[in-house]
Amino acid sequence: MNTFAQNHPKDPRYKQYAGKYGDNSGICLFEDGQFLMYGYATMVFGTYLFEKDYLLFTTDKPALFEVYAHAYPNRGDSVRINFVGFQEGNNFVQFDNSVPQRVFNPNANCFDPPFVYEAAKAPHTFTLAALLPEGGEGKEASNTFWSYQADKGMNDFVFVHNPPKRVYEDFRGMLIKTNDGETLLLSNYGGKNGYRKNTTVNEEEQAWVLSVKREYNEAKQHDEGIAYGNRHYRFFPEADLSTYTFDAASNQYTSKQAAENEGYYRSNQYKDDRYLRKYVKLLPATMRREGFDTDKAAAGSIFFSTCGEGSEKSYHYNGYIKYDNPAENVEAPVPTTAPIIPGTE
């Protein structure tokens, strides 16, 4: 952000029009050229520029795909892959030189994550494909295929798909003066009346907004592409590694209080943060829009999920350890949203 602030044109309008526009939903413009779009369950940052009488807004978009990898020595040649966010859209995966395969069945519903695929042999390469409807949200990313190269020994993966959403589309704006003050009209939200600029300053609210902005920029600046999670793919962004010891034999971190609350974690295995694995983000080797023939995809899908008739065939995660005492096998409900991994919030 410092670089952006230094390089954008020294236009006095950045300072003149900075402020909050809207009430429970709206947009905040900052003097350094950054903006925050907010609303119910919505918080999107980005940057904006002035072009003649218009404002051009560019959102910070999550990557279409993200891949995190871990080498677990006790797994040998086999592989586990947790698929996150692939329930939405028409998505495929291809391992090495095998034929592409659909991740979920068409019209899938009634999801019960995590969705973990297991195979006897870990792939050396894999391709993730998202086929999006023409003219729909995220049309610029339609028919996009990302290929990855896995390092030797990597056998525990998290594949993340961030479906394009309307809130991440770039947009335009125009500032107009009315009898009530300045109003910002946007091409995507706010309707014909737009968002009116707040003339009174709520210091507590202003401090909160600036705090959120600062935390967001610091997280971006220090994102090392590393995530720490347990064997059931629950991730812990705030894990304090000073309270853990690293075990090279198992390539995982063990809490110094691992023996405590054993009974609790037996019946709450998804929440167990005593043993953490370090997952490292892999960058795609290639990103292309052609050369991936889904017409030759294998029959069926990796996961099947449906409500009503046929629901008995739906996928359910079975990776929890079974204990002799039935009372210890009661699981806390698994969230229906994707686990939080840096870069996917």
Side-chain angles (χ1 to χ4, degrees):
M1 283 307 306
N2 289 335
T3 301
F4 180 84
Q6 292 170 4
N7 292 338
H8 78 67
K10 295 181 179 180
D11 191 322
R13 290 178 293 182
Y14 284 100
K15 184 174 182 179
Q16 177 183 353
Y17 295 123
K20 177 187 175 187
Y21 296 78
D23 190 9
N24 294 327
S25 64
I27 187 171
C28 296
L29 302 184
F30 302 103
E31 290 185 30
D32 61 5
Q34 193 174 17
F35 75 85
L36 166 62
M37 176 75 71
Y38 68 91
Y40 176 73
T42 300
M43 187 177 294
V44 176
F45 281 93
T47 56
Y48 69 98
L49 293 170
F50 287 97
E51 185 178 271
K52 297 182 180 180
D53 295 331
Y54 291 95
L55 292 87
L56 306 182
F57 295 87
T58 302
T59 63
D60 292 347
K61 304 171 184 62
L64 185 64
F65 293 113
E66 293 177 272
V67 171
Y68 289 80
H70 170 78
Y72 188 57
N74 296 341
R75 179 153 293 277
D77 294 332
S78 64
V79 66
R80 290 178 93 223
I81 303 173
N82 180 29
F83 285 81
V84 179
F86 286 78
Q87 300 93 314
E88 296 184 40
N90 193 13
N91 306 304
F92 293 79
V93 62
Q94 181 180 21
F95 299 115
D96 293 323
N97 295 321
S98 64
V99 296
Q101 189 169 9
R102 188 185 296 271
V103 179
F104 277 91
N105 55 295
N107 303 314
N109 50 28
C110 290
F111 303 109
D112 184 19
F115 292 96
V116 181
Y117 165 82
E118 298 187 62
K121 186 177 180 180
H124 297 294
T125 62
F126 48 87
T127 298
L128 302 176
L131 308 187
L132 306 176
E134 292 295 334
E137 294 177 3
K139 53 185 178 297
E140 71 283 352
S142 63
N143 298 352
T144 300
F145 320 122
W146 294 20
S147 296
Y148 295 82
Q149 180 83 37
D151 292 339
K152 184 178 180 180
M154 289 183 171
N155 54 10
D156 189 5
F157 297 91
V158 180
F159 291 176
V160 181
H161 174 44
N162 298 305
K165 299 182 183 297
R166 180 192 174 198
V167 70
Y168 290 113
E169 292 183 355
D170 298 340
F171 56 98
R172 296 161 63 92
M174 175 180 286
L175 282 159
I176 61 173
K177 291 186 177 181
T178 65
N179 294 332
D180 296 328
E182 295 170 338
T183 297
L184 179 57
L185 301 177
L186 301 179
S187 60
N188 58 349
Y189 290 103
K192 64 180 181 179
N193 295 323
Y195 296 113
R196 187 166 61 88
K197 186 176 183 179
N198 286 231
T199 55
T200 58
V201 178
N202 184 320
E203 294 185 359
E204 182 177 350
E205 183 179 47
Q206 184 181 38
W208 179 82
V209 170
L210 293 176
S211 174
V212 169
K213 177 176 180 286
R214 182 176 61 255
E215 291 176 1
Y216 173 80
N217 288 328
E218 289 178 352
K220 284 181 60 178
Q221 183 177 359
H222 297 99
D223 180 13
E224 299 176 344
I226 294 174
Y228 296 92
N230 63 19
R231 60 178 294 165
H232 307 299
Y233 303 103
R234 167 73 183 270
F235 286 83
F236 301 87
E238 303 300 327
D240 181 5
L241 294 184
S242 67
T243 63
Y244 290 77
T245 58
F246 178 70
D247 178 26
S250 62
N251 194 23
Q252 67 179 358
Y253 293 82
T254 301
S255 171
K256 296 176 182 178
Q257 290 80 39
E260 299 180 9
N261 301 321
E262 175 72 21
Y264 170 79
Y265 285 116
R266 284 193 175 197
S267 57
N268 295 274
Q269 296 180 42
Y270 185 74
K271 300 178 180 179
D272 193 348
D273 63 351
R274 296 172 302 158
Y275 308 96
L276 299 181
R277 302 173 180 182
K278 179 180 178 180
Y279 291 82
V280 179
K281 183 185 289 187
L282 301 184
L283 297 179
T286 61
M287 301 164 62
R288 62 189 192 278
R289 296 179 182 272
E290 57 185 16
F292 192 88
D293 191 358
T294 57
D295 292 335
K296 298 180 180 179
S301 58
I302 292 179
F303 303 107
F304 178 83
S305 184
T306 189
C307 300
E309 185 178 356
S311 60
E312 69 280 359
K313 299 179 181 179
S314 292
Y315 171 88
H316 296 285
Y317 177 65
N318 62 358
Y320 296 116
I321 300 173
K322 302 300 180 183
Y323 295 101
D324 294 335
N325 183 359
E328 295 179 328
N329 293 322
V330 178
E331 278 300 327
V334 177
T336 56
T337 55
I340 297 177
I341 302 176
T344 68
E345 293 90 334

